[in-house]
Amino acid sequence: GSQWMVKSKVISELQEACWEMMSSMASDIILLLDSDNDGIRTHAIKFVEGLIVTLSPRTADSDVPKRHESDISLERIPRDHPVIKHSVLWEEGKAALEQLLKFMVHPAISSINLTAALGSLATIARQRPMFMAEVIQAYETLHANLPPTLAKSQVSSVRKNLKLHLLSVLRHPSSGDFQPQITTLLVDLGTAQAEIARSMPSPRDGRKRPRDEPDAALKKMKIEPPLGEDDEDKDLEAPAVAVAKVAGAAAVPSDTDITAEFLQPLLTPENVANLVLISMVYLPEAMPASFQATYTPVESAGTEAQIKHLARLMATQMTAAGLGPGVEQTKLLREEPKEEKVAKPDGVLVIKRRLSALGQGQAIAVLGAQGSPGGLLDETPQAKRRPEPIMPATQPRLAGAGGRKKVFRLSEVLKPLSEVQVEKLKLGAVRRILRSERAVAASGAAQARVKILASLVTQFEVPLKGEVLSFILDDVRGRLDLAFAWLFQEYNAHLARGGPGGLERYDECLIGLLAGLQEKPDQKDGIFTKVVLEAPLITESALEVIRKYCEDESRTYLGMSTLRDLIFKRPSRQFQYLHVLLDLSSHEKDKVRQQALLFIKRMYEKEQLREYVEKFALNYLQLLVHPNPPSVLFGADKDTEVAAPWTEETIKQCLYLYLALLPHNHKLIHELASVYTEAIADIKRTVLRVIEQPIRGMGMNSPELLLLVENCPKGAETLVTRCLHSLTDKVPPSPELVKRVRDLYHKRLPDVRFLIPVLNGLEKKEVIQALPKLIKLNPIVVKEVFNRLLGTQHGDGTSAVSPLNPGELLIALHNIDSSKCDMKSIIKATNLCFAERNVYTSEVLAVVMQQLMEQSPLLLLMRTVIQALTMYPRLGGFVMNILSRLIMKQVWKYPKVWEGFIKCCQRTKPQSFQVILQLPPPQLAAVFDKCPELREPLLSHVRALTPHQQAHIPLSTMAILEATTRHEPEGTPGEVR
């Protein structure tokens, strides 16, 4: 830009605007030395280096690299340029150097920035020898004050770089005046004397310097070193007091030089020893890494050179702290400029410049004191970078200005923000931190961000916490580390506050996370479980959220497996968590209940939980003895009865858990029996309905069940019977079970109903003996008895072998003593047999009738014959044969059978006519008395026979048949009954 401006004869508005913009850009870049980004600061250093080189004049001994030979620098800019002011640029160049030197002494400078700054200073010293004094002094200061933040390896690296740059500066022809300082520094850095000697400039190079022309003297002005000055002095350095370096004349000594000269004679062995002893008190416990890395034993201790070096080291430190005669002398020089005497006539100009510059400096200082923005900008970074306290040196100067300095107060400049503004700013800041997630992750500081956020959010109010919570829930899996960091931070804050209370904030955080997860549609990845298991404490409210999770049918398994993990992994509060699971075992939702019961059954196997689970189940079972359901069943805390009656639902609620445990612990059956005896009828009915499955699960070989059958408590008979039925419904009874039931029936409770479930395990005679009682029971029960005996209870006939076959059963029914059982019951029982056509085939019935015929006394029921004939008409011939044989057995001697015989004849006419004709005349007459309507058809039948057949019919029989016909008109009314 400068090149373009210099070449142009006429400067256009556009060029002027460009120049303004470039100047502004340069200022902005210098400000970036304060950037938060390490890389940006490094680039800013390189830029400032280039700027200093450009805004200072190139001299004869400037060491310019070939590629930069054509670059513009200050000496090429005409002093009368219409836009560019030569003197202004020269001041800017010096100010830029000052900024760079300030930057270097910051105690927290990073290793990368420090390395870059060291290189830049070496380049500046070689290309602009007029600044060599400042560069060497900066190197000395750094060597004496390495930043405490550097690691051991970084200290080594910085020292190596410092050595290389010092050697490169030493090679420069202009280094002659500074060789003692450079050499001492190099020796301190461990450089061999041979290497130092190799780097010394040749005398020929040294001779180049006196060739500088006198008129170039003003170009080679030197700014005073900044390091020994405090803040107020910095204000003077903006216009910088310049001293003409006239050919051959020595430079004005710096503050450090003056102080070093003052200290050198004072450094006697005694004084040094005292200094060491005093400073021992202030040494740290552990040796700093930087010291450990930089320490090298002093070889030339006590020599003149070493004392001089020590004096310079101390002078550097003192000047940096604003102490020592050098600093004082500079102050006096500035305050009494008129006393200066310059021998040469050329110096008059210099004095005038110094006076005017000093006047300017004072004006700036006073302005800065009144709070001008420029002053503020200058002072603030300096204050920030100073490691030692700054000694203000304002009074003499301000006295000259004749005014009292106004104290700057931040509160006077700033307006307080309204609450709304504060909240808005806070929210904005939080959102920015949240949104920076990716950028921070890319820079590798994600962990630090999470820690900062967690620490911040713990101190937030509710709305800001809500913001962070929403952010976490938007991507739970990705932000789980933040969720945990926050949760633990809240817990930590709770512990710090102490006391049992104060858990609200932690509680809100945990519930917020858990409830938020509950609203997420898909949680198969177990994040919910992870949060619960890793949370430092599960509060009551959090447990309530877990309960709700369990009650959500789509997440029941997840919720309960989380509860299970809590029970096993947090033993100190496992019963509290177990209680929630046990409560869910009587939940109205079937899926929730079933799942809870599955989990509890597994818990029941664990020794440490068994007792608690069992106690809970039995407590619920005991509620059934109340006449009304207790309020605990309706979610109330107190165990009081409510007016509502027991319903099947509330009864089952008390039984679910108990019945689930029963197959795992058979001893519990006795508890049920004792509750059953005291319970009301409705409860008993429900118990009988639901007991079947668990009893089957126990099996008939269960010693506890057998014991219950043996000791059947009074009032629990129906329960025991139901148990027996459930056990033998699909499998035959075991001999052990039959034995217990038989004993119970014969020795304690002669209730025939006990025998029904084990009928197929009894002896034939026992069944026949019990039949009269059995068939007198409720028809439904009788039906079950026959189903069991006939093997038809499952409709497939594959049941256990019955002690009686179907024929024997029917015969046994005929043989029942009518004194033990009424006829009606017997007939009903035989009807049940006939209803089973698959069992009672015609063959079976024929055998039965045959056997009954042959019994003595005659016990055949003609009803059976009639029913057999009705079911199987093809048995007609067989029945006629039976009837004929009955006549031979004088059937009329058995009134009941005789009555049935007549009915059977009546039913089977005309087939039975042949049998009727076999009756003796008196019995035939009795038949006609009973059934007069048989006479005519029978007579017709006889008349239709062949004469040969008629010959076989006795005359007495014919007489009965015909006699009645003859007397028919005179028949008495009594005969027609």
Side-chain angles (χ1 to χ4, degrees):
S2 312
Q3 215 153 351
W4 176 45
M5 297 286 280
V6 170
K7 281 178 183 170
S8 304
K9 296 272 171 63
V10 181
I11 304 298
S12 68
E13 277 184 30
L14 174 67
Q15 284 177 309
E16 203 166 330
C18 280
W19 178 253
E20 288 297 325
M21 187 180 77
M22 301 235 333
S23 301
S24 164
M25 278 167 60
S27 307
D28 289 347
I29 295 172
I30 291 172
L31 290 176
L32 288 176
L33 285 171
D34 270 335
S35 165
D36 290 340
N37 186 311
D38 222 12
I40 290 175
R41 291 199 299 272
T42 305
H43 283 297
I45 292 165
K46 298 305 290 176
F47 173 80
V48 172
E49 173 200 316
L51 189 69
I52 294 165
V53 171
T54 304
L55 299 185
S56 54
R58 196 182 289 181
T59 59
D61 52 0
S62 289
D63 185 1
V64 183
K66 273 191 178 173
R67 67 178 186 279
H68 294 313
E69 277 178 359
S70 59
D71 289 0
I72 187 140
S73 53
L74 194 61
E75 84 283 351
R76 295 196 191 178
I77 294 168
R79 290 176 184 272
D80 56 356
H81 195 282
V83 175
I84 305 172
K85 297 286 178 282
H86 185 285
S87 58
V88 172
L89 291 187
W90 179 217
E91 294 302 337
E92 281 178 13
K94 289 185 282 188
L97 177 63
E98 191 181 316
Q99 289 286 349
L100 185 57
L101 293 171
K102 269 190 204 175
F103 176 76
M104 256 191 68
V105 297
H106 194 293
I109 188 169
S110 73
S111 162
I112 292 167
N113 290 167
L114 190 52
T115 307
L118 286 172
S120 291
L121 285 180
T123 305
I124 291 165
R126 288 198 309 276
Q127 293 198 29
R128 299 290 179 266
M130 75 234 3
F131 295 135
M132 197 170 282
E134 285 79 4
V135 171
I136 300 300
Q137 193 170 325
Y139 281 171
E140 278 186 317
T141 307
L142 176 73
H143 177 60
N145 292 297
L146 273 177
T149 51
L150 298 182
K152 196 172 175 181
S153 60
Q154 292 172 330
V155 169
S156 306
S157 169
V158 167
R159 283 168 61 83
K160 190 176 176 184
N161 272 301
L162 185 55
K163 175 180 151 183
L164 291 172
H165 293 316
L166 276 167
L167 286 169
S168 77
V169 172
L170 183 61
R171 288 190 196 99
H172 195 279
S174 302
S175 67
D177 294 344
F178 309 103
Q179 278 175 10
Q181 290 106 297
I182 296 172
T183 308
T184 310
L185 277 173
L186 283 168
V187 170
D188 256 15
L189 291 164
T191 318
Q193 284 293 345
E195 195 177 350
I196 295 172
R198 279 201 302 277
S199 300
M200 286 286 189
S202 61
R204 188 169 47 80
D205 292 339
R207 284 199 300 276
K208 283 182 188 172
R209 294 186 69 220
R211 286 188 301 165
D212 294 346
E213 296 143 29
D215 36 311
L218 283 175
K219 289 183 192 169
K220 289 198 283 174
M221 289 184 283
K222 254 171 69 177
I223 64 165
E224 289 203 344
L227 289 159
E229 289 150 16
D230 61 342
D231 276 7
E232 294 297 342
D233 293 332
K234 289 286 176 255
D235 293 328
L236 282 172
E237 285 170 22
V241 179
V243 176
K245 191 175 178 188
V246 182
V252 173
S254 70
D255 298 354
T256 312
D257 297 337
I258 295 165
T259 308
E261 225 168 292
F262 165 74
L263 287 173
Q264 202 172 329
L266 298 175
L267 292 176
T268 63
E270 189 183 352
N271 285 346
V272 171
N274 285 334
L275 278 173
V276 170
L277 289 170
I278 291 162
S279 60
M280 294 281 272
V281 183
Y282 302 103
L283 292 179
E285 297 271 326
M287 191 188 291
S290 57
F291 179 80
Q292 209 167 352
T294 59
Y295 176 70
T296 44
V298 180
E299 290 174 18
S300 53
T303 63
E304 193 63 37
Q306 179 57 32
I307 293 168
K308 192 174 178 183
H309 179 54
L310 178 59
R312 276 198 75 79
L313 281 178
M314 288 175 69
T316 308
Q317 298 272 22
M318 287 169 74
T319 306
L323 301 170
V327 176
E328 294 297 324
Q329 197 167 322
T330 307
K331 282 181 198 166
L332 288 170
L333 273 171
R334 288 176 182 171
E335 283 162 19
E336 300 166 20
K338 289 172 187 165
E339 289 176 18
E340 285 189 17
K341 296 283 179 277
V342 179
K344 297 195 177 182
D346 289 308
V348 178
L349 171 66
V350 178
I351 292 165
K352 282 181 184 166
R353 285 183 62 120
R354 191 176 174 90
L355 274 167
S356 60
L358 187 60
Q360 270 179 306
Q362 282 185 339
I364 289 169
V366 175
L367 277 171
Q370 284 164 352
S372 78
L376 276 173
L377 275 174
D378 260 316
E379 287 183 5
T380 313
Q382 182 63 11
K384 190 170 82 178
R385 291 207 176 90
R386 278 267 182 242
E388 279 88 7
I390 296 158
M391 306 283 287
T394 56
Q395 283 169 336
R397 193 182 313 155
L398 284 170
R404 187 166 165 273
K405 183 171 183 180
K406 185 181 174 187
V407 180
F408 172 71
R409 286 190 181 84
L410 193 65
S411 57
E412 288 172 12
V413 184
L414 302 177
K415 276 187 200 165
L417 297 169
S418 70
E419 262 186 56
V420 177
Q421 284 174 309
V422 170
E423 287 308 314
K424 196 175 173 188
L425 285 170
K426 275 203 268 186
L427 191 60
V430 171
R431 283 178 178 159
R432 281 194 299 282
I433 297 171
L434 294 176
R435 282 200 298 269
S436 67
E437 185 176 37
R438 281 190 182 171
V440 174
S443 71
Q447 282 303 311
R449 172 178 169 275
V450 165
K451 279 184 190 169
I452 293 166
L453 247 180
S455 182
L456 272 177
V457 77
T458 307
Q459 299 163 42
F460 289 162
E461 296 309 312
V462 177
L464 293 174
K465 287 187 175 179
E467 192 77 27
V468 179
L469 183 62
S470 308
F471 175 75
I472 292 170
L473 292 173
D474 282 344
D475 175 15
V476 185
R477 198 182 286 109
R479 293 163 188 163
L480 203 54
D481 54 345
L482 176 57
F484 281 130
W486 176 18
L487 193 60
F488 275 86
Q489 193 76 32
E490 289 284 10
Y491 186 65
N492 210 17
H494 153 65
L495 292 179
R497 284 191 291 271
L503 256 179
E504 300 85 3
R505 290 180 183 180
Y506 169 78
D507 200 20
E508 282 163 15
C509 174
L510 181 57
I511 291 168
L513 287 168
L514 295 180
L517 285 170
Q518 195 176 359
E519 286 158 25
K520 293 276 165 192
D522 179 31
Q523 276 310 319
K524 285 179 186 162
D525 45 17
I527 287 180
F528 180 84
T529 307
K530 195 170 183 184
V531 172
V532 170
L533 294 183
E534 294 197 20
L537 177 70
I538 301 296
T539 58
E540 290 294 333
S541 328
L543 200 52
E544 206 44 50
V545 175
I546 299 169
R547 178 202 282 277
K548 287 197 183 111
Y549 223 81
C550 297
E551 289 174 340
D552 175 352
E553 285 175 284
S554 60
R555 292 186 167 130
T556 299
Y557 183 80
L558 179 68
M560 291 188 188
S561 55
T562 305
L563 256 181
R564 174 200 60 204
D565 292 346
L566 270 181
I567 292 165
F568 289 132
K569 291 179 180 175
R570 306 237 172 145
S572 62
R573 300 181 69 188
Q574 65 185 172
F575 295 120
Q576 187 186 356
Y577 306 135
L578 180 57
H579 198 89
V580 176
L581 193 56
L582 291 167
D583 265 346
L584 293 167
S585 67
S586 56
H587 200 274
E588 69 259 12
K589 287 183 189 166
D590 194 45
K591 187 178 176 183
V592 176
R593 184 175 64 247
Q594 294 299 341
Q595 194 65 62
L597 290 171
L598 275 175
F599 274 105
I600 292 167
K601 280 193 249 181
R602 285 184 217 146
M603 307 268 170
Y604 192 54
E605 292 162 15
K606 306 286 177 205
E607 197 59 49
Q608 74 270 28
L609 305 176
R610 196 179 182 91
E611 189 186 343
Y612 191 90
V613 173
E614 199 171 292
K615 198 172 167 190
F616 189 94
L618 294 178
N619 281 348
Y620 258 64
L621 180 68
Q622 290 295 334
L623 299 177
L624 293 173
V625 301
H626 293 255
N628 290 88
S631 55
V632 71
L633 294 174
F634 302 98
D637 292 336
K638 293 193 176 76
D639 193 359
T640 53
E641 284 185 23
V642 293
W646 281 101
T647 62
E648 182 151 347
E649 200 40 60
T650 48
I651 297 166
K652 283 183 176 177
Q653 229 176 310
C654 300
L655 288 166
Y656 287 127
L657 180 57
Y658 168 82
L659 294 177
L661 302 182
L662 190 54
H664 299 270
N665 182 1
H666 297 183
K667 281 184 182 171
L668 298 174
I669 191 72
H670 306 297
E671 300 285 344
L672 180 65
S674 62
V675 167
Y676 183 86
T677 54
E678 292 179 53
I680 58 168
D682 283 343
I683 292 176
K684 286 182 176 170
R685 275 193 289 276
T686 305
V687 169
L688 294 179
R689 269 199 297 277
V690 297
I691 194 78
E692 193 169 333
Q693 247 353 86
I695 292 296
R696 278 195 195 143
M698 291 169 77
M700 62 180 76
N701 294 323
S702 162
E704 299 302 327
L705 256 182
L706 292 170
L707 191 62
L708 176 72
V709 172
E710 196 177 308
N711 302 332
C712 177
K714 190 165 171 48
E717 295 83 359
T718 41
L719 176 70
V720 172
T721 314
R722 166 55 66 195
C723 292
L724 292 170
H725 275 280
S726 302
L727 290 170
T728 58
D729 223 12
K730 293 194 166 76
V731 281
S734 65
E736 190 59 41
L737 186 66
V738 174
K739 180 175 174 293
R740 302 286 172 110
V741 175
R742 188 184 283 130
D743 288 354
L744 176 68
Y745 177 68
H746 289 302
K747 294 174 185 171
R748 288 187 54 223
L749 293 164
D751 186 333
V752 76
R753 284 174 298 183
F754 283 127
L755 297 177
I756 298 171
V758 296
L759 279 174
N760 290 341
L762 298 173
E763 301 290 327
K764 186 193 289 189
K765 62 170 191 261
E766 287 179 299
V767 178
I768 292 171
Q769 208 176 350
L771 262 181
K773 285 185 184 175
L774 288 168
I775 63 172
K776 277 196 276 191
L777 296 170
N778 178 312
I780 297 167
V781 180
V782 179
K783 173 90 173 112
E784 193 194 336
V785 169
F786 279 64
N787 283 341
R788 284 177 180 269
L789 290 173
L790 299 172
T792 56
Q793 70 257 53
H794 307 303
D796 54 6
T798 58
S799 178
V801 179
S802 167
L804 298 169
N805 65 37
E808 287 172 333
L809 175 60
L810 197 51
I811 291 165
L813 287 172
H814 282 79
N815 289 339
I816 287 172
D817 187 343
S818 54
S819 64
K820 286 183 183 173
C821 182
D822 59 298
M823 204 61 192
K824 194 176 177 186
S825 297
I826 297 171
I827 290 168
K828 277 185 184 172
T830 54
N831 285 344
L832 283 173
C833 293
F834 283 115
E836 300 292 341
R837 290 188 62 142
N838 293 341
V839 179
Y840 287 95
T841 58
S842 53
E843 292 78 6
V844 171
L845 289 173
V847 172
V848 168
M849 289 189 280
Q850 187 77 37
Q851 284 186 344
L852 286 171
M853 269 282 310
E854 287 161 8
Q855 276 188 356
S856 183
L858 186 61
L859 290 170
L860 175 66
L861 289 176
M862 292 312 293
R863 173 181 283 281
T864 304
V865 177
I866 294 166
Q867 277 180 304
L869 196 57
T870 310
M871 277 169 68
Y872 304 108
R874 66 169 191 269
L875 283 175
F878 179 76
V879 169
M880 293 307 110
N881 188 19
I882 290 279
L883 292 175
S884 300
R885 290 175 67 186
L886 281 172
I887 293 170
M888 290 156 72
K889 282 186 171 273
Q890 298 183 337
V891 65
W892 47 88
K893 289 182 179 175
Y894 307 95
K896 286 275 178 199
V897 184
W898 173 235
E899 197 179 319
F901 178 89
I902 296 169
K903 277 185 183 170
C904 191
C905 291
Q906 202 175 1
R907 287 276 187 92
T908 53
K909 63 181 186 183
Q911 244 181 323
S912 59
F913 289 167
Q914 202 62 42
V915 176
I916 295 169
L917 290 171
Q918 291 173 24
L919 284 167
Q923 277 70 41
L924 183 61
V927 169
F928 289 153
D929 283 348
K930 281 266 176 121
C931 304
E933 70 276 7
L934 277 176
R935 185 184 276 111
E936 278 304 318
L938 187 59
L939 193 55
S940 304
H941 169 75
V942 171
R943 286 178 181 158
L945 294 172
T946 58
H948 178 71
Q949 285 169 324
Q950 282 181 12
H952 282 87
I953 296 167
L955 288 172
S956 54
T957 302
M958 284 304 292
I960 298 283
L961 274 167
E962 288 168 347
T964 324
T965 312
R966 275 197 297 271
H967 298 297
E968 200 169 309
E970 301 159 19
T972 58
E975 287 174 330
V976 190
R977 282 186 300 192

